[in-house]
Amino acid sequence: MTESETSLTNDFIRDIIDEDLSIGKNDGKVATRFPPEPNGYIHIGHAKSVCLNFGIAKQYQGTCNLRLDDTDPLGESMEYVESIIRDVRWLGFDWGNRLYYASDYFEKLYSFAVELIKKGDAYVCSLSADEIREYRGTFTEPGKDSPFRNRPIEENLNMFARMRQGEFADGAHVLRAKIDMASPNIVMRDPIIYRIKREPHYRTGNKWVIYPMYDFAHCLSDALEGITHSICTLEFENNRPLYDWFVERLIEGNRPRQIEFARLNLSYTVLSKRRLIELVQKNLVQGWDDPRMPTVTGMRRRGYTPAAIRNFCVAIGVAKNDNLIDVSLLEHCVREDLNENAPRAMCVLRPLKVLIDNYPETQTEDFEIANHPQKPEMGSRKVPFSRVLYIERDDFMEDPPKKYHRLGTGREVRLRGAYIIKFKKMVKDEKTGEVTQLHCTYDEQTRNAPPADGRKVQGVIHWVSAAHCAPAEVRLYDRLFSSENPGAEEEFINFLNKDSLEVLTGCFAEASLKDAQPLSKYQFERLGYFCVDEKDSKADKLVFNRVVALRDSWAKVAR
Ligand code: ATP
Ligand code: MG
């Protein structure tokens, strides 16, 4: 990871940290955490939070923990934990031995709750869920005290212990913090801190039938880990007073400080686990790692690189107000990285057969072609040439306009890295009139050299040798949604882009790609960036995903 990736300019969060450090807070330490709930795969929004938390830790020589915030048994699983670990690591971050689970703190959190009861700061409330809602009041009206608010401490302790023992049904009682039912901030109107939920937990099994609420568990988990700056998204702004309320009552010494930033919203994308789960469960995509998904695993399979994602996260910065980032900025970062680092290769997506009439039938020769035009250190490869070739169907026109610098009746064109060839005749399908084959001649003298007679041949096209190339399937992706802000639509599913996937079979890749390893990325000359599909690509049938086109085709549409 380069310096520029972690510390471009200061943002308001780093300003706060600088100030805390300057007044000697937290003994000069900076400790952050990335706290996902293992109820789905992480997406590009989470990547922003990962980059921010780990980036800050690195910049201030502090630490960043990976904590699974697994306090709600419904929907959490080991599959998700494993995916999160893999994805954060793949993004390029390391938490050393600081992998934690909020569920490991259940006993500790229980005793914190007992401590609150003993201080008279919490009570067991036996109103139903509906009644609790009713008593809570509204934005304009204060709430009403629960009739159980003044339950004696001994009775609260006894009831809470019995809740834990499993004596009561789900919803029969809850433990609530005793704060202020008239607070202008609804979050502070005696929030629930424990509820009964007879659900097995993927880690603690049937040990618990009561589970702590997020607002209670999160801040105390932060405190238990010695987190100094608890960075979260804006929707928790109203919860900050509650965060502080718990921590001030229960934690001595250094206390974590919550700082909110704007979550990432990306155009033509949904970034909510609930919606992503819906796409997966309704089979509207082919799983969490579908290359059209904004999940880290989907982006990896598509061919995005960790560096491109990190650069994007630096480029968007951290703001205090919600906004919608143009997805083309992410694509731009991917393109920039691959332009630098992806070797070049040739692949014909929609082949047209070309016979070089004057090239000896049994001859083959290898052209040595550079892997990167600006980077000799990336080496070169051998590209075999022979009598029968494939070129791109749309690199030939029977009656081309003047400015068409490709092959046409009477025209010449250079085959990238090889000879100049000249059109002789075409063969057409009798029924459809479609051109099925071209006959050309090659100019032997133009092997890596301009024509001796000084004639100009402007066009350069890509090609493969029919006898040597590898059959391939190429998957072209477009945006998954046709609406700029699908999350804001009433039914986001109705805005899926029907043309988000086009599968091209019968493509031909140059011979060197037969050894391409899963997830290797290439620039296919003139076509874009492509990645070997890690699931479906086989030695005898290569499968490539288009990572991103060479240029932003949507920019034209928008203008
Ligand atoms: P969602 O509700 O959108 O599905 P989440 O907040 O429930 O996401 P968590 O697992 O709780 O997902 O998130 C882990 C961390 O990632 C939190 O600190 C959260 O604030 C942060 N995060 C989640 N979504 C985004 C986003 N779009 N942009 C930036 N940070 C995010
Ligand atoms: Mg959340």
Side-chain angles (χ1 to χ4, degrees), residues 182-202:
S183 170
N185 182 351
I186 294 183
V187 171
M188 301 298 277
R189 294 182 190 168
D190 291 11
I192 296 172
I193 58 183
Y194 261 93
R195 70 235 195 269
I196 303 170
K197 206 167 195 172
R198 294 162 177 281
E199 287 290 338
H201 184 279
Y202 77 100

Side-chain angles (χ1 to χ4, degrees), residues 31-292:
T32 58
R33 83 287 170 266
F34 173 61
E37 187 185 354
N39 60 354
Y41 281 63
I42 59 170
H43 52 62
I44 182 76
H46 295 108
K48 175 179 177 180
S49 175
V50 168
C51 290
L52 184 59
N53 281 292
F54 280 93
I56 283 176
K58 184 177 169 164
Q59 184 181 340
Y60 291 92
Q61 281 120 48
T63 51
C64 181
N65 300 350
L66 177 59
R67 177 168 79 237
L68 284 311
D69 239 343
D70 53 357
T71 54
D72 183 353
L74 283 180
E76 296 176 354
S77 76
M78 213 55 211
E79 177 199 343
Y80 293 137
V81 171
E82 283 161 7
S83 75
I84 291 165
I85 289 176
R86 173 173 181 228
D87 290 347
V88 178
R89 197 166 278 150
W90 179 79
L91 283 169
F93 299 101
D94 182 17
W95 49 90
N97 57 1
R98 295 179 313 280
L99 171 65
Y100 299 115
Y101 295 84
S103 54
D104 282 345
Y105 309 143
F106 279 168
E107 197 63 55
K108 187 77 196 155
L109 293 169
Y110 180 82
S111 55
F112 276 136
V114 168
E115 196 179 327
L116 280 186
I117 297 174
K118 287 182 179 162
K119 288 181 171 160
D121 284 331
Y123 61 97
V124 172
C125 179
S126 309
L127 292 177
S128 68
D130 283 342
E131 287 165 330
I132 290 179
R133 205 169 309 120
E134 215 178 288
Y135 275 64
R136 186 162 290 145
T138 62
F139 281 112
T140 48
E141 285 166 59
K144 281 191 305 194
D145 284 0
S146 158
F148 303 97
R149 203 170 197 260
N150 295 317
R151 221 172 211 158
I153 288 176
E154 276 316 307
E155 191 180 322
N156 283 322
L157 285 173
N158 175 269
M159 293 280 291
F160 189 48
R162 287 168 62 200
M163 280 168 66
R164 175 178 182 170
Q165 294 316 314
E167 277 191 38
F168 308 115
D170 285 13
H173 311 281
V174 290
L175 184 71
R176 297 176 71 175
K178 198 189 238 182
I179 307 180
D180 179 7
M181 288 308 292
S183 170
N185 182 351
I186 294 183
V187 171
M188 301 298 277
R189 294 182 190 168
D190 291 11
I192 296 172
I193 58 183
Y194 261 93
R195 70 235 195 269
I196 303 170
K197 206 167 195 172
R198 294 162 177 281
E199 287 290 338
H201 184 279
Y202 77 100
R203 287 187 82 240
T204 59
N206 293 316
K207 178 160 186 222
W208 294 89
V209 294
I210 57 172
Y211 291 96
M213 299 299 284
Y214 177 88
D215 279 329
F216 182 70
H218 189 78
C219 55
L220 295 169
S221 302
D222 281 345
L224 289 171
E225 291 176 16
I227 299 304
T228 56
H229 298 86
S230 176
I231 301 167
C232 65
T233 37
L234 274 182
E235 65 269 25
F236 291 102
E237 199 169 12
N238 288 337
N239 303 54
R240 188 182 345 129
L242 182 56
Y243 187 107
D244 293 340
W245 192 90
F246 286 130
V247 164
E248 278 158 22
R249 266 159 195 78
L250 295 164
I251 303 297
E252 301 290 337
N254 292 338
R255 293 172 179 149
R257 166 175 187 176
Q258 176 178 308
I259 307 170
E260 310 87 21
F261 71 101
R263 65 194 294 112
L264 170 66
N265 301 304
L266 255 195
S267 63
Y268 300 98
T269 310
V270 293
L271 292 185
S272 128
K273 273 190 223 159
R274 187 173 54 75
R275 293 201 172 97
L276 295 177
I277 288 174
E278 196 176 333
L279 291 175
V280 172
Q281 285 179 347
K282 292 188 172 163
N283 293 318
L284 296 166
V285 292
Q286 290 153 16
W288 287 101
D289 65 352
D290 186 305
R292 293 166 294 180

Side-chain angles (χ1 to χ4, degrees), residues 486-535:
E489 306 285 359
E490 205 160 298
E491 190 42 84
F492 77 104
I493 296 282
N494 295 342
F495 293 86
L496 280 165
N497 175 7
K498 287 177 205 68
D499 303 316
S500 61
L501 169 61
E502 184 183 356
V503 179
L504 300 177
T505 52
C507 312
F508 293 117
E510 68 168 64
S512 73
L513 292 171
K514 284 178 187 164
D515 305 323
Q517 295 303 302
L519 292 183
S520 305
K521 292 139 195 88
Y522 299 90
Q523 184 194 90
F524 288 169
E525 300 267 3
R526 303 173 61 232
L527 297 175
Y529 297 95
F530 292 80
C531 175
V532 181
D533 189 80
E534 67 178 322
K535 268 194 180 163

Side-chain angles (χ1 to χ4, degrees), residues 30 38-39 64 150 185 189 248 265 317 327 356 364 372 384 388 391 402 442 447 466-467 491:
V30 174
N39 60 354
C64 181
N150 295 317
N185 182 351
R189 294 182 190 168
E248 278 158 22
N265 301 304
V327 70
I356 311 294
T364 295
H372 195 292
V388 185
I391 65 166
K402 223 171 169 189
Y442 83 113
R447 188 182 214 277
E491 190 42 84

